[in-house]
Amino acid sequence: MHKILVTGCAGFIGSHVCELLLSKGFEVIGVDNFDPFYSKELKEKNLSLFSSHPKFKFYKLDIVHGMEAIHEAGIEMVVHLAAKAGVRPSIAEPMEYIRVNITGTQKVHEFMQANSIHKLVFASSSSVYGNNRSLPFKETDSVDNPISPYAFTKKAGELMNYTFHHLQKTDVINLRFFTVYGPRQRPDLAINKFVKKIDLDEQLELFGDGQSARDYTYISDTVNGIYNAIIYCSENSNLFLTVNLGNSNPVKLIDLVNTIYSKMGKKKDIIFTAMQPGDVDITFADIELAKALFNYTPVIDLNTGIKNFIIWRQQQKKV
């Protein structure tokens, strides 16, 4: 396996994946459309970290109607990370999420068929579990009750991938990510928003009573899991797998906030408001399958991860 196409290459997770692949000697074809969900400037900054690498080539295009513009021989795998992200925005704009996350994934499959590419690693989400009452979340649990449009588009992607595995013999690994955080995290996500507001001495508004919990997973752990999945997919055939990539250690919202305040040395100033539609009560990954299949072992605890993120953000302010 030498040449990989990465969709969403300028995003939070995608940029880290590209950097790791390039450091391992892979040739990377990157695709991104700089979706206006957040600043193009931030994505360009991400891309600039590796865009001059001799083994990287970038295509600025929308996966829904631009994949046919890619003319590259020898692509052996697609790592499909491009998507409209975010639970709450998907409630306001469900059709755009359907367009990008469902139709866009269909277009990726069409591109793969046209170019005889039979390996796919797909970014799914813990959101597909909805308010699953069985803890921790196992890949064998039912995901028939998604509670946001974002969640159902990710489940649809998994189902579509199975169809093309069946029809086109595509080897597929669906990776369900659990609340990834760390340097370059999207500005709309909780940790990034909280750190910014606390830094500005602004009050934090917390949804619910602070007892909701998330399985926060540091970016390097997630990306190492993605890399191991890439290697596993490249070395195996007749493959269709769905695998959790989490930390398997849920943290309550109030405990997360207390950790951030403590690391920043700031006085706590919070208010509680109603839970938001589409938000789940808890995410909690069973990661035994990832461990067994490709030696996935998260190593960054929340205290270290939050410290690293705060340091990174302070560095960005000085640039």
Side-chain angles (χ1 to χ4, degrees):
M1 185 66 60
H2 298 98
K3 192 170 187 177
I4 296 177
L5 186 147
V6 179
T7 69
C9 69
F12 168 39
I13 298 174
S15 62
H16 283 279
V17 169
C18 288
E19 277 191 300
L20 182 58
L21 288 172
L22 291 166
S23 75
K24 298 286 189 180
F26 289 84
E27 186 174 352
V28 178
I29 308 302
V31 171
D32 209 293
N33 73 334
F34 300 121
D35 184 280
F37 184 60
Y38 65 94
S39 166
K40 179 181 178 182
E41 181 183 5
L42 292 178
K43 294 174 185 176
E44 288 177 330
K45 184 180 290 188
N46 293 345
L47 195 61
S48 71
L49 297 170
F50 52 88
S51 57
S52 62
H53 194 286
K55 288 191 174 183
F56 180 77
K57 185 172 182 179
F58 177 64
Y59 285 84
K60 182 181 181 298
L61 56 84
D62 188 320
I63 59 171
V64 175
H65 52 70
M67 294 295 290
E68 63 276 6
I70 301 172
H71 299 288
E72 299 286 338
I75 296 172
E76 297 164 87
M77 178 183 291
V78 174
V79 179
H80 182 28
L81 305 174
K84 290 288 288 187
V87 167
R88 293 172 200 153
S90 76
I91 296 172
E93 292 187 288
M95 289 306 300
E96 183 63 8
Y97 280 70
I98 290 168
R99 184 188 78 86
V100 176
N101 297 359
I102 298 179
T103 304
T105 298
Q106 166 72 28
K107 295 297 183 180
V108 168
H109 278 288
E110 290 178 8
F111 171 81
M112 292 176 66
Q113 292 171 48
N115 290 274
S116 299
I117 303 166
H118 299 288
K119 301 280 186 180
L120 175 68
V121 172
F122 174 73
S124 188
S125 167
S126 62
S127 67
V128 301
Y129 288 106
N131 272 319
N132 186 18
R133 297 303 177 189
S134 176
L135 299 175
F137 298 171
K138 300 180 186 297
E139 294 88 349
T140 52
D141 291 345
S142 170
V143 289
D144 289 340
N145 299 288
I147 62 172
S148 71
Y150 173 69
F152 80 63
T153 64
K154 282 301 180 181
K155 178 180 177 180
E158 293 182 4
L159 293 171
M160 186 187 305
N161 292 341
Y162 181 80
T163 300
F164 286 99
H165 163 72
H166 175 73
L167 294 175
Q168 303 295 330
K169 309 306 178 188
T170 303
D171 294 319
V172 177
I173 300 181
N174 300 311
L175 296 175
R176 292 176 177 168
F177 300 154
F178 282 71
T179 316
V180 187
Y181 74 101
R184 300 179 221 161
Q185 188 188 44
R186 299 198 325 261
D188 63 296
L189 293 175
I191 290 173
N192 201 332
K193 289 197 296 186
F194 291 167
V195 169
K196 180 179 179 180
K197 282 181 173 290
I198 293 170
D199 190 41
L200 296 172
D201 295 314
E202 296 179 359
Q203 187 176 65
L204 291 191
E205 181 182 48
L206 304 185
F207 300 117
D209 59 3
Q211 298 304 300
S212 62
R214 295 290 180 271
D215 198 351
Y216 297 102
T217 311
Y218 194 69
I219 182 64
S220 61
D221 288 331
T222 299
V223 170
N224 286 334
I226 295 169
Y227 179 77
N228 290 355
I230 288 168
I231 299 304
Y232 188 89
C233 189
S234 71
E235 294 176 348
N236 290 275
S237 58
N238 193 26
L239 196 66
F240 184 85
L241 294 169
T242 299
V243 184
N244 291 333
L245 286 188
N247 195 46
S248 203
N249 185 28
V251 176
K252 291 181 180 179
L253 177 60
I254 192 63
D255 294 335
L256 169 71
V257 168
N258 287 339
T259 298
I260 296 173
Y261 272 111
S262 174
K263 296 294 181 188
M264 297 183 72
K266 295 275 191 171
K267 182 180 178 181
K268 192 159 63 172
D269 181 13
I270 62 176
I271 59 170
F272 296 97
T273 60
M275 283 284 283
Q276 296 293 288
D279 278 357
V280 299
D281 299 325
I282 186 172
T283 62
F284 184 178
D286 182 307
I287 58 174
E288 293 306 311
L289 183 60
K291 287 180 180 179
L293 290 176
F294 37 81
N295 196 31
Y296 171 70
T297 308
V299 297
I300 304 298
D301 62 79
L302 187 74
N303 282 310
T304 303
I306 293 297
K307 178 183 176 182
N308 291 348
F309 179 78
I310 292 169
I311 291 170
W312 171 80
R313 191 178 180 281
Q314 293 301 321
Q315 291 171 341
Q316 298 307 298
K317 289 169 61 179
K318 297 174 183 177
V319 175

